[in-house]
Amino acid sequence: MTMTTQARLDGDASTIGRPTPQVNAQEKLTGRALYGGDFRTPGMLHLKVLRSPYAHARIISIDTAAASALPGVHAVLTGDDTPDRLTGVHRKQHRILATSKVRFVGEEVVAVAAIDEDTARDALDLVRVEYEPLPLVHNMDEALSPGTIEVHESTGNLSIEYKVERGDVDSAFARAALVHEATYETTSQYPGYLEPMATVAWVEGDGRLVVRASTQTAFLQRNRFAEALGLPVSAVRVIQSTVGGAFGGKTVEECNSLICAWMAYRLGRPVRFVNSRLDDFLGARSSPAERIWLKMGVDNQGLIIAKEVKILADCGAYEGLATHVLQVSLVRSDNMHRYLKDVRLHGRLAFTNHPPRGAVRGFGGPQAAFALNSHMAELAEKLGIDPVEFMRRNAVRAGDTTVHGFELGSAGLTECLDQVSEGIGWITKKARRPDTGLKRRGIGFAGAIHVSGNREMGNWDGSIVTARMTTDGRVTLSTGESDMGQGAYTMLAQCCASELAIPVSHVTVLPTDTDVSPYGHGSIASRVTILAGNAAIRAGREIRGRLLALASETLGVPEGDLTVSGGEIFATSALPNRRLTFGELARMHIYRHGGEELRVTATYDPPTFLAMSRPDQYGNVAPGYSFAAQAVEVEVDTETGQVEILETFVSDDCGKAINPLAVHGQTCGAAAMSIGWALYEEMKFQDCQLLNGNFADYTMPTAESLPNIQSGIIESLEPNGPYGAKGASETAMLPGAAAIANAVYDAVGVRIRELPITPEKILAGLREQEATAAARERRHA
C-alpha cells in the first residue's frame, strides 16, 4: 500500500494480498441473488422464438394466423415487423429477426409473447414458415473457393483479411540454423456457463425502455439496443443482473436480450425471455475454429529470429467480434519472443453457414497458444534442447518492447516457467526412462501471454468509479464494469477499503445500472482489475483527502499529524483523545453552509495506443501484460487411446495478487476449461446442423475427470497496476491444450495437431507408427 505524507494509515486494516471471501458470495449461496431469469414483474409476458431449421434458405412466406389466434398469445411478430435498420457489433449485417433469408440453423425467425412459456411454445408449433433451401457453405475452405454461393452478397465470403509484415522475413529465414513449419487446427468451444442467457425488459411510464439482463457489458448493450430500435441512448436503461458465468459469451453479440428488448418496447409490456440450453447453443457465440500454418526459424543459439503465420478462421454466418479474435490469434503470441524482429502475418476470416462465432474466454489466445507451444516443443526436440530451457531463452523480460510494440512494464514469464518446472518436478520426470507398457506416461509444457486491457474501442480504454460516503461512514461504489463471477466487486471493495483503512464489509459495490453508474466498457480483455482498480484507488484517496481536510479544520491539527484507522481520524500526538468518525465527518460535509454529500468520481485511462486504427497494427495496446505457464503429466492407454491427466501445475503472472483466493480459484477454473477444450469439447455439425447442442452430448469435463489442479502465483508487480496488479486467470486458459498435446507426444510419440485430442486420433497415430516401423524393417531386411 502506498503511504501518504499527509496522514498515517493503519496498514493492518488492508486486505490487499490476503485471501478475501467474495463480497457477493453469501447472497449467491443463500439463493437471494437475482439472476436474469429470476426477476418477475406484474403483467409480464413470456417470450419464445422460432428458429430456422435450415442453415441456408430464403424465407418464402410466414403464416402466423393460427398462432396469433391461440388464447393467451399477445403477439406473434416476424422480421418484417422489426425496424428496417441492420445491427451488429461492427459490420451491420442482420435485422432483429431474419427477413428474406436465414443463414444458419437456429437463426431467429419468429418471436411469440404469451401469458406463460407453455402457451408461447404451443404458439410456435402453429406458425408455418415456407423456405426455399439454398446451397450450403459447409466450411471455411469451401467458403473461399471460386464459385461458392455467398452467405452475404458481394463479400466473396471473406469477412476480413489482415496482412502485417515487420523486418526482412525472408532474409531472417535464410540465415536461420533451423526452420520448421506445420499446420494446426482448433475447434469451436461453447462458453459452457451454468446460466443460459436470460432477459427481462419493460417500458416505464415515461416511455423509456428498461432491460435487466445477465450481461458483462451493460453500456455496450445499451448502445446496441438504442441503435437497433432507433432510440436515443438516453431512452434505454440496462441493469446488470447477477451473472451466472459468462466466459466472454455474454458480451454484446447474443440476440436473446435484443429480441426481448424489442418485444417489450413494441408491446409496452414486461417481457421475459430465457434461453433453453439448445437455444443457447444455437444463439450464443462459440469461439472461431481456426487453421493455423506456422513457420519458425531459430539461430544456432536456439533463439527465435523469424516467424510466419497464416490463419484461416470460420466466423459462421455473422462476423461479430470474430474479426478481433482473429487479429489476436495472429499478433499477440509473437510478443512472447524476446529476439523476434522479423515476422509476417496473414489472416482471413470466412463466412460459412455455421452459427456465428465470437468472444470466448482467451479471445483468440488459446488457438494461437496451441499452435505456438506445440511448434516450440518440436523445435526444441530438433535442436536437442529441453523445451522449458528453449522457452526460457526466448522469453520476454520486463522493460522489453516487443516486435509489435508492446511495452512490458512487468513480465513474469520466466518466473512462471521456473515455478511450474519446480512444482511438477519437471527435471526428474523428463529424465526418467520411457514407458514401454500398455499405459505410458509423458509430460508436457506450454506458456502464454495475454493483455490486461486493450485500447480498441475509439481512443479510450478507461474506467470510471464513483464513490459515495453515507452518513454512517460507509462507502458505496458505482462502476460500469461488471462482476460475472470472477470477483471484480470484491477487488474494487478491497482497493477502496485499503485507501480508507476500513473493513471490506464497509464498502458496497452496486450492480451496473446505466442510469446511475458511470460509463464503462465492461468485463472484457482482462481489463477490470488494472483499470477499474486504479480508478477505485483514486476515488478512495480523494475521499480520504476530503475527510482529512475537514478533520484538520475541525480539530485544528495539521493533516500530517492525523491518523486514519478503523473508520476514524484522530490526532497522533496533540489532542490524543480527540477523534472523529467517518460518519461524523460525512454528516459535517453535508450540514454546513454550502455543504454537499461526500461523493467523488475518479477516472483512470492508461497510457496506451490505439494500434487497431493503424494498418500495421503496431503499438502498445495495454497498460499491462499477463503471462502464464502450465505443465501436465498424462498417462496414455495404448489399447484404448484414452488420456488421463495425472498431475498439472499452472502458474499465473498477475502482478500483485490483490485477492489470492480469487486468483487461485479463477486460475484453476481456466485450467479446467482448457482441459475440456483440449480433450473433450467439439461442436459437431452435419450439413451445418449442430448435432450436440446439449450437455448430454457436448462433453465437458466433470469434477471426477479433472486432476487435482495445482496453481501458483507470480507477483511481477506491474508499474501501471493498482498496487502492482494486472489481469489474472484468463491467461491461464491459454497454455493447457498445448501442454497436454506435448505430454501425449512425450508419452507415445504421437503428435496431435488437430483438437480435440481424442482416443481415435491417438490410436490412428499409433497405427501409423507401427506401419512406419514395419516398412522400415522391410527396407532393412
Side-chain angles (χ1 to χ4, degrees):
M1 181 173 62
T2 302
M3 297 298 292
T4 175
T5 58
Q6 292 183 314
R8 282 175 286 277
L9 294 178
D10 180 5
D12 290 339
S14 176
T15 65
I16 300 299
R18 300 177 182 177
T20 304
Q22 301 287 348
V23 295
N24 49 12
Q26 188 174 28
E27 61 178 320
K28 292 181 178 180
L29 290 170
T30 57
R32 293 198 296 267
L34 282 179
Y35 293 88
D38 292 333
F39 193 75
R40 300 289 192 277
T41 186
M44 185 175 72
L45 301 176
H46 296 261
L47 173 64
K48 292 295 176 185
V49 298
L50 184 68
R51 298 179 180 274
S52 168
Y54 292 95
H56 202 192
R58 288 190 180 89
I59 300 174
I60 304 302
S61 64
I62 303 177
D63 183 355
T64 63
S68 299
L70 186 68
V73 171
H74 286 252
V76 183
L77 303 177
T78 71
D80 291 336
D81 301 309
T82 65
D84 59 6
R85 64 186 69 240
L86 298 179
T87 183
V89 178
H90 296 291
R91 187 181 297 183
K92 310 308 174 186
Q93 292 181 312
H94 59 89
R95 298 268 284 269
I96 298 173
L97 296 173
T99 50
S100 59
K101 187 178 180 182
V102 292
R103 295 177 170 87
F104 68 96
V105 173
E107 185 162 9
E108 300 87 351
V109 178
V110 179
V112 172
I115 58 171
D116 55 46
E117 291 192 10
D118 288 340
T119 302
R121 290 192 191 95
D122 291 343
L124 291 182
D125 291 338
L126 298 175
V127 175
R128 296 290 176 262
V129 183
E130 182 182 355
Y131 296 95
E132 178 191 344
L134 297 170
L136 300 179
V137 181
H138 293 87
N139 54 59
M140 50 197 181
D141 294 307
E142 183 179 291
L144 300 182
S145 298
T148 300
I149 190 171
E150 292 181 312
V151 178
H152 296 277
E153 290 73 16
S154 303
T155 64
N157 291 327
L158 182 64
S159 165
I160 198 167
E161 185 171 21
Y162 295 102
K163 290 184 178 181
V164 175
E165 185 164 351
R166 308 202 198 286
D168 188 341
V169 182
D170 293 329
S171 176
F173 276 119
R175 68 176 186 271
L178 173 66
V179 175
H180 176 57
E181 63 181 78
T183 300
Y184 306 87
E185 294 197 32
T186 67
T187 58
S188 291
Q189 183 178 31
Y190 172 68
Y193 35 65
L194 283 175
E195 173 210 28
M197 275 305 305
T199 308
V200 177
W202 65 94
V203 177
E204 295 193 325
D206 59 0
R208 296 177 72 238
L209 173 67
V210 181
V211 184
R212 179 181 286 270
S214 51
T215 178
Q216 58 191 88
T217 54
F219 281 90
L220 298 184
Q221 288 282 32
R222 182 186 67 171
N223 295 344
R224 184 188 187 201
F225 299 152
E227 177 187 63
L229 275 63
L231 298 173
V233 169
S234 59
V236 181
R237 176 187 183 189
V238 177
I239 304 170
Q240 181 203 347
S241 301
T242 303
V243 180
F247 310 117
K250 295 178 181 177
T251 50
V252 69
E253 300 178 275
E254 52 75 32
C255 292
N256 172 286
S257 56
L258 176 61
I259 295 170
C260 187
W262 165 69
M263 181 67 83
Y265 186 75
R266 172 74 181 245
L267 298 182
R269 291 277 301 270
V271 177
R272 174 178 180 265
F273 184 19
V274 179
N275 278 354
S276 68
R277 186 57 65 178
L278 177 58
D279 285 334
D280 215 83
F281 264 94
L282 295 173
R285 299 301 182 255
S286 58
S287 60
E290 295 184 5
R291 180 182 302 121
I292 303 171
W293 176 83
L294 181 56
K295 179 181 179 183
M296 293 174 67
V298 297
D299 67 12
N300 55 15
Q301 301 298 314
L303 303 180
I304 299 169
I305 60 171
K307 190 175 182 183
E308 184 173 4
V309 182
K310 297 178 183 178
I311 301 179
L312 178 58
D314 180 354
C315 71
Y318 299 102
E319 68 181 29
L321 289 170
T323 55
H324 288 340
V325 173
L326 173 60
Q327 191 265 354
V328 167
S329 294
L330 272 174
V331 172
R332 190 168 296 164
S333 67
D334 295 346
N335 299 283
M336 290 173 61
H337 312 314
R338 191 177 200 197
Y339 304 100
L340 179 64
K341 306 299 178 187
D342 302 283
V343 61
R344 181 186 295 131
L345 311 173
H346 183 203
R348 294 177 298 162
L349 186 66
F351 290 116
T352 68
N353 289 122
H354 288 135
R357 311 287 169 76
V360 174
R361 191 180 200 173
F363 203 82
Q367 294 94 318
F370 171 64
L372 172 63
N373 285 282
S374 298
H375 211 75
M376 290 184 72
E378 292 191 75
L379 278 168
E381 182 180 33
K382 292 176 182 290
L383 291 167
I385 301 174
D386 179 85
V388 178
E389 172 58 27
F390 180 50
M391 188 171 292
R392 187 183 288 110
R393 289 185 193 183
N394 289 280
V396 288
R397 308 289 199 276
D400 287 350
T401 297
T402 70
V403 64
H404 296 301
F406 290 12
E407 298 171 13
L408 306 181
S410 66
L413 178 56
T414 300
E415 291 82 356
C416 285
L417 301 176
D418 293 342
Q419 186 181 67
V420 168
S421 297
E422 182 179 350
I424 205 165
W426 175 266
I427 295 175
T428 300
K429 290 178 178 178
K430 276 300 279 186
R432 69 192 174 195
R433 184 176 300 175
D435 292 332
T436 58
L438 293 178
K439 293 186 176 182
R440 303 175 190 175
R441 293 189 176 191
I443 190 168
F445 206 95
I449 182 176
H450 193 58
V451 293
S452 296
N454 193 1
R455 189 175 292 270
E456 61 176 342
M457 283 180 278
N459 194 20
W460 189 74
D461 190 31
S463 188
I464 307 169
V465 170
T466 296
R468 171 178 170 240
M469 179 163 280
T470 57
T471 53
D472 62 356
R474 302 198 176 199
V475 178
T476 58
L477 295 182
S478 296
T479 174
E481 321 306 348
S482 70
D483 193 317
M484 50 188 179
Q486 84 278 34
Y489 289 172
T490 306
M491 176 275 299
L492 293 175
Q494 286 181 270
C495 290
C496 183
S498 179
E499 291 302 315
L500 293 169
I502 58 177
V504 170
S505 60
H506 287 197
V507 181
T508 300
V509 185
L510 302 176
T512 300
D513 179 336
T514 60
D515 263 13
V516 296
S517 302
Y519 183 85
H521 287 331
S523 291
I524 51 178
S526 292
R527 63 190 300 279
V528 176
T529 294
I530 199 166
L531 302 177
N534 271 322
I537 288 173
R538 291 183 175 187
R541 288 176 181 171
E542 187 170 344
I543 284 187
R544 187 181 75 215
R546 294 195 189 185
L547 291 172
L548 284 166
L550 186 54
S552 175
E553 176 187 340
T554 303
L555 297 175
V557 177
E559 289 186 24
D561 196 34
L562 294 175
T563 294
V564 180
S565 178
E568 294 182 325
I569 296 179
F570 53 88
T572 306
S573 55
L575 305 173
N577 294 322
R578 292 293 307 278
R579 59 184 62 222
L580 294 167
T581 68
F582 283 3
E584 290 172 327
L585 290 166
R587 290 191 292 273
M588 292 168 62
H589 201 274
I590 297 174
Y591 297 112
R592 57 178 177 164
H593 186 72
E596 61 180 357
E597 182 182 48
L598 183 45
R599 179 196 298 261
V600 303
T601 296
T603 301
Y604 176 74
D605 189 22
T608 51
F609 187 79
L610 186 61
M612 288 199 71
S613 66
R614 293 174 45 154
D616 63 0
Q617 306 284 299
Y618 186 88
N620 187 42
V621 301
Y625 300 90
S626 299
F627 296 87
Q630 187 171 356
V632 176
E633 183 180 16
V634 302
E635 185 174 74
V636 180
D637 188 321
T638 58
E639 281 194 329
T640 67
Q642 292 289 336
V643 176
E644 180 184 357
I645 298 178
L646 303 175
E647 186 179 3
T648 185
F649 195 108
V650 58
S651 180
D652 197 340
D653 165 29
C654 61
K656 175 67 177 178
I658 290 179
N659 184 359
L661 181 66
V663 173
H664 280 296
Q666 290 296 304
T667 297
C668 291
M673 193 168 178
S674 70
I675 290 170
W677 186 57
L679 295 178
Y680 310 114
E681 297 181 50
E682 181 179 14
M683 298 182 75
K684 296 181 179 180
F685 294 90
Q686 181 176 333
D687 291 332
C688 298
Q689 166 78 56
L690 181 64
L691 302 179
N692 56 338
N694 57 71
F695 283 155
D697 298 318
Y698 180 83
T699 308
M700 295 173 64
T702 60
E704 66 179 9
S705 64
L706 289 170
N708 177 33
I709 300 173
Q710 303 174 76
S711 69
I713 294 172
I714 295 298
E715 295 189 313
S716 60
L717 298 182
E718 169 55 46
N720 290 322
Y723 309 115
K726 51 189 176 182
S729 83
E730 188 170 10
T731 320
M733 164 72 186
L734 277 57
I740 294 170
N742 290 336
V744 168
Y745 177 80
D746 186 54
V748 295
V750 174
R751 172 62 63 183
I752 303 296
R753 295 190 177 91
E754 181 181 343
L755 294 179
I757 302 167
T758 62
E760 292 81 3
K761 293 173 186 175
I762 292 173
L763 292 176
L766 291 172
R767 287 193 296 269
E768 185 177 344
Q769 276 184 357
E770 293 172 358
T772 301
R776 187 182 302 114
E777 289 181 5
R778 287 194 296 272
R779 285 197 302 269
H780 293 293

